[in-house]
Amino acid sequence: MNEKEIITSWNEAVELYKSNPDDHASIRQARDQLKTVISSYPKQGVSKLCYNVAILSRLLGDNATDLEYLNLCLSKDQHNAIAYYQRGLVQYAMKRYADSAKDFQQCVDSMRQATLIDYAQLGLRCKLYQHEVIYNEAACHLKLGNRKNCMYALLEVKKLIDKDTTKVLHTLDIQTPIESVRNGGNTLEVIVAGEGKLYTPPVSKLNNLAKKNYLGKAKVVSSLQTGDTFSGFVGPKLKALDRVKKAPPDRPSSPRPTTPTPQLSESPSTNSADNKSLLEELKNQKVSSQPGRPVTPEYPPPKPLIRPKLAPPTSSGGVDAKTPLAAAKPPLNPKPSVCNVELIAGDRMEKMSLSSNTNFLKLMDTVGTVMEYDRGTFSLWYLNRQGTYTAIDSQDIVAHVWRNKVKNNQMTIYVFGV
């Protein structure tokens, strides 16, 4: 059972008893229902349910079950003063006066010097007074023949009543019992409190049993369609419709031609020539072994695309980039040429001439001398044909710059400080 079912069954049992408090059948049914709930209720609430079962058993005259469930109640809650009080009453009814006196004394200790405990906040309409518990203890001592302890207990009750300024405790006539005990009386009637009172479930939990709609119901204020008054969530439906709209249209299925499978004759010995012709026809057409399956026609493989190989572009020989590789012939004796170079460093510009076999280190020495840079504090860059800067890091100007990047024997080299 979950917590909701437990609270509901507990409340139903209490209401069943309240509807017929004098009907033994209703009391027995409520007690059995509470016993079922006890086996499923969490540990914190078992003591209250056991107390209810004990009270209902006392109404049925079953003192043994009453005492059993009070013991179980106190095993779950050792500081339940009202449970000690009720067990003292059961022990007194079963003529166990010594045990009854101990229970009343334990009840006083559990009250912790409080003269009154109101259990209404815990769901039990009962008030437990300290002077009534001590009075019952005095009655137990009188039954045991201990008049001295009985008189001490009655005098203590008198002190509590005399100290009461609210006059609430004055409803008990204590002087008459004291005189009766002094004159040799042997009987004191015990005071019974909380008879027929049961623990009820917490009101906060009862109020939360029913579902609550905190948001309320949506209302259509305006709509493009006059008959559209639906205010629910139609997200999944709209998504499904959108998927149907975006789905590609189904292509019409074109039937493929099928070739009937020729049948072989049953006796190959009689019609061998026909069988050979059929086998050759099957081999040529590659008919599937499964009858009725369409024949897949064979197509010739596509011819490979043959492209002429081109030679890489060069600037030192006489070979053009569009010339086929077979027609490309390297020059026999390439002549060194001269390139006019502009060295630009910030606002300064120097012009110099470089030959095709100029060494990279010689170029750097020239830059360091002319542009007043120290070696290792600058780098050389050129602007390539794509419009981006590229560092000159090769030792061979001819391989890296001259052959590919020089145009019309003019070149600009930028000097950047590191």
Side-chain angles (χ1 to χ4, degrees):
M1 298 176 67
N2 54 27
E3 186 175 2
K4 180 180 179 180
E5 295 175 349
I6 290 171
I7 297 298
T8 304
S9 300
W10 181 2
N11 185 59
E12 289 176 356
V14 174
E15 293 299 329
L16 179 61
Y17 163 71
K18 289 183 179 180
S19 61
N20 298 306
D22 298 329
D23 185 12
H24 283 200
S26 300
I27 295 174
R28 187 175 290 104
Q29 183 179 354
R31 185 184 68 172
D32 295 340
Q33 188 170 350
L34 288 176
K35 285 183 179 180
T36 305
V37 177
I38 287 175
S39 59
S40 305
Y41 201 74
K43 187 176 181 180
Q44 292 77 4
V46 171
S47 61
K48 294 182 179 180
L49 298 179
C50 293
Y51 180 89
N52 289 353
V53 173
I55 295 300
L56 294 176
S57 300
R58 184 181 306 176
L59 296 177
L60 295 174
D62 190 357
N63 292 332
T65 306
D66 186 2
L67 182 60
E68 176 186 355
Y69 276 88
L70 285 174
N71 292 334
L72 183 59
C73 173
L74 291 172
S75 66
K76 302 299 180 181
D77 186 5
Q78 299 179 0
H79 304 284
N80 195 342
I82 189 66
Y84 283 111
Y85 180 81
Q86 297 295 343
R87 192 172 70 173
L89 294 177
V90 176
Q91 302 276 21
Y92 188 89
M94 298 175 68
K95 298 182 180 181
R96 300 177 180 177
Y97 303 117
D99 296 335
S100 178
K102 292 180 181 179
D103 287 336
F104 288 130
Q105 183 60 42
Q106 187 66 36
C107 177
V108 175
D109 296 340
S110 299
M111 294 182 70
R112 301 175 183 178
Q113 298 180 357
T115 58
L116 169 65
I117 296 180
D118 190 357
Y119 286 90
Q121 295 181 353
L122 300 178
L124 180 63
R125 299 293 178 179
C126 176
K127 293 182 179 180
L128 183 62
Y129 292 92
Q130 183 182 8
H131 72 282
E132 293 180 351
V133 181
I134 298 176
Y135 181 87
N136 289 349
E137 182 184 355
C140 294
H141 289 308
L142 185 61
K143 287 291 184 180
L144 293 173
N146 193 345
R147 291 180 173 272
K148 185 177 180 179
N149 291 340
C150 177
M151 185 59 66
Y152 285 156
L154 291 176
L155 293 177
E156 187 175 357
V157 173
K158 187 176 183 304
K159 289 181 182 180
L160 292 174
I161 294 176
D162 294 339
K163 290 181 181 180
D164 181 29
T165 58
T166 60
K167 306 299 181 181
V168 176
L169 307 183
H170 286 266
T171 55
L172 177 62
D173 183 13
I174 191 61
Q175 193 63 36
T176 301
I178 291 176
E179 295 295 334
S180 175
V181 172
R182 284 178 180 176
N183 296 329
N186 295 324
T187 303
L188 288 177
E189 296 293 334
V190 294
I191 301 175
V192 179
E195 185 177 8
K197 304 295 181 180
L198 302 181
Y199 277 105
T200 58
V203 180
S204 59
K205 293 185 177 182
L206 288 176
N207 295 336
N208 292 330
L209 290 178
K211 293 183 179 180
K212 295 182 180 179
N213 187 6
Y214 294 97
L215 299 179
K217 188 177 181 180
K219 181 180 179 181
V220 178
V221 178
S222 177
S223 178
L224 296 176
Q225 300 178 3
T226 56
D228 185 11
T229 59
F230 181 70
S231 60
F233 181 66
V234 293
K237 184 185 295 184
L238 294 178
K239 284 185 178 181
L241 293 176
D242 192 32
R243 271 197 306 270
V244 172
K245 291 179 181 179
K246 291 183 179 180
D250 296 336
R251 296 182 179 179
S253 58
S254 58
R256 302 180 65 179
T258 58
T259 303
T261 305
Q263 301 291 333
L264 297 177
S265 60
E266 296 181 359
S267 56
S269 59
T270 56
N271 299 324
S272 59
D274 297 338
N275 290 341
K276 288 181 180 181
S277 61
L278 289 176
L279 289 175
E280 291 179 359
E281 184 180 354
L282 289 175
K283 186 183 297 184
N284 295 332
Q285 295 182 1
K286 293 186 178 180
V287 180
S288 175
S289 60
Q290 300 179 4
R293 186 171 180 177
V295 179
T296 304
E298 289 189 357
Y299 297 97
K303 295 181 180 181
L305 180 61
I306 302 175
R307 297 180 180 179
K309 296 184 179 179
L310 301 179
T314 60
S315 60
S316 60
V319 181
D320 190 14
K322 298 182 180 180
T323 306
L325 186 61
K329 294 182 180 180
L332 299 177
N333 296 317
K335 297 180 180 181
S337 58
V338 179
C339 177
N340 297 322
V341 177
E342 291 182 351
L343 291 174
I344 297 178
D347 298 334
R348 297 188 58 184
M349 183 180 68
E350 292 289 340
K351 295 183 179 181
M352 59 183 300
S353 298
L354 296 177
S355 61
S356 60
N357 56 358
T358 301
N359 190 272
F360 182 74
L361 297 178
K362 183 179 180 180
L363 175 63
M364 294 184 67
D365 292 340
T366 304
V367 173
T369 304
V370 176
M371 309 298 290
E372 298 179 357
Y373 272 90
D374 294 333
R375 183 184 295 272
T377 62
F378 65 92
S379 59
L380 303 180
W381 299 73
Y382 66 89
L383 192 65
N384 57 23
R385 294 178 182 177
Q386 286 76 22
T388 58
Y389 288 95
T390 304
I392 302 175
D393 55 356
S394 173
Q395 298 295 324
D396 188 4
I397 297 297
V398 176
H400 191 71
V401 179
W402 197 275
R403 186 176 300 174
N404 301 321
K405 306 301 178 184
V406 172
K407 185 177 181 181
N408 297 328
N409 293 335
Q410 297 290 333
M411 182 177 181
T412 303
I413 297 178
Y414 297 90
V415 182
F416 294 99
V418 179

